[in-house]
C-alpha cells in the first residue's frame, strides 16, 4: 500500500506499488471495487467531507479523478510536469505537485488547469493541503517549510 484515504460514507481507498486502486468498506473490510493497470503506483490520495470525489497523484506524475457516485468514472488526467506531493478536494479535485525545479503547482482535475504556481528556488520534497481548502505547505531540500494560501 502506497497511499490511503478515508472517504465519505465509510469507505477506504488505497493505492499500491502494483498500480492498483482499491476500495474497501471500513466496517466489514470487504472489497467494494478495484481498478488495475494504472500507469504507475499511486503516490497520494485525497477527498473532502462534502464532496463525493477522490483525487489521486501517481508516481509517473499522472493524476486521477474518481466520482464516488459513478463507480466506473476513473478519469486519468495528464499534464503534470512534476511528482505529486498531496491531493485534496477543494472547489474541485486538486493535486499539489513539486520537485527538483523548486516550483509548486496546484492542478485542478476538473478544469485541467494550473490553479496556483509558485517558485521557491530549491527542490521541493514534500507537501500537504488543508482539508478545508485554501492553504497548503511544502518542504524543500534545504529543510525549510513554506506556507501558501490560495484564494
Amino acid at each position: 500500500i502506497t497511499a490511503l484515504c478515508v472517504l465519505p460514507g465509510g469507505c477506504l481507498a488505497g493505492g499500491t506499488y502494483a498500480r492498483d486502486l482499491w476500495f474497501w468498506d471500513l466496517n466489514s473490510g470487504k472489497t467494494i471495487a478495484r481498478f488495475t493497470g494504472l500507469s504507475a503506483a499511486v503516490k497520494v490520495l485525497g477527498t473532502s467531507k462534502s464532496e463525493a470525489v477522490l483525487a489521486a497523484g501517481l508516481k509517473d506524475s499522472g493524476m486521477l479523478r474518481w466520482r464516488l457516485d459513478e463507480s466506473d468514472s476513473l478519469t486519468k488526467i495528464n499534464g503534470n510536469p512534476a511528482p505529486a506531493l498531496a491531493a485534496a478536494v477543494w472547489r474541485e479535485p486538486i493535486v499539489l505537485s513539486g520537485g527538483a525545479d523548486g516550483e509548486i503547482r496546484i492542478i485542478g482535475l476538473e478544469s485541467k488547469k494550473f490553479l496556483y504556481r509558485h517558485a521557491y528556488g530549491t527542490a521541493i520534497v514534500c507537501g500537504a493541503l488543508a482539508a478545508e481548502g485554501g492553504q497548503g505547505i511544502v518542504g524543500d531540500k534545504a529543510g525549510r517549510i513554506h506556507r501558501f494560501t490560495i484564494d
Side-chain angles (χ1 to χ4, degrees):
I1 300 291
T2 55
L4 292 169
C5 183
V6 177
L7 304 169
C11 180
L12 176 68
T16 72
Y17 281 114
R19 302 179 306 148
D20 297 337
L21 186 58
W22 290 79
F23 296 88
W24 299 279
D25 180 280
L26 274 174
N27 294 321
S28 69
K30 292 185 181 181
T31 300
I32 297 169
R34 178 181 176 204
F35 292 95
T36 62
L38 303 177
S39 63
V42 176
K43 192 168 178 190
V44 296
L45 295 168
T47 192
S48 78
K49 293 185 279 186
S50 60
E51 295 287 329
V53 178
L54 177 71
L58 305 179
K59 190 170 176 133
D60 69 355
S61 300
M63 299 168 288
L64 302 172
R65 179 194 72 225
W66 190 64
R67 294 209 164 275
L68 304 177
D69 54 354
E70 302 168 15
S71 62
D72 293 326
S73 68
L74 187 65
T75 304
K76 174 126 189 232
I77 294 113
N78 295 310
N80 188 8
L85 301 173
V89 176
W90 290 351
R91 287 178 288 245
E92 66 177 297
I94 60 171
V95 169
L96 166 65
S97 70
D101 64 358
E103 183 174 0
I104 64 167
R105 301 155 191 92
I106 300 280
I107 300 108
L109 302 186
E110 304 267 337
S111 63
K112 299 179 184 169
K113 294 181 180 177
F114 291 106
L115 305 176
Y116 179 82
R117 293 174 86 143
H118 186 80
Y120 289 104
T122 191
I124 302 298
V125 296
C126 62
L129 295 164
E132 300 305 315
Q135 295 185 16
I137 192 163
V138 294
D140 68 25
K141 191 173 181 178
R144 294 179 297 242
I145 301 292
H146 307 279
R147 188 174 147 257
F148 58 92
T149 301
I150 303 169
D151 297 329

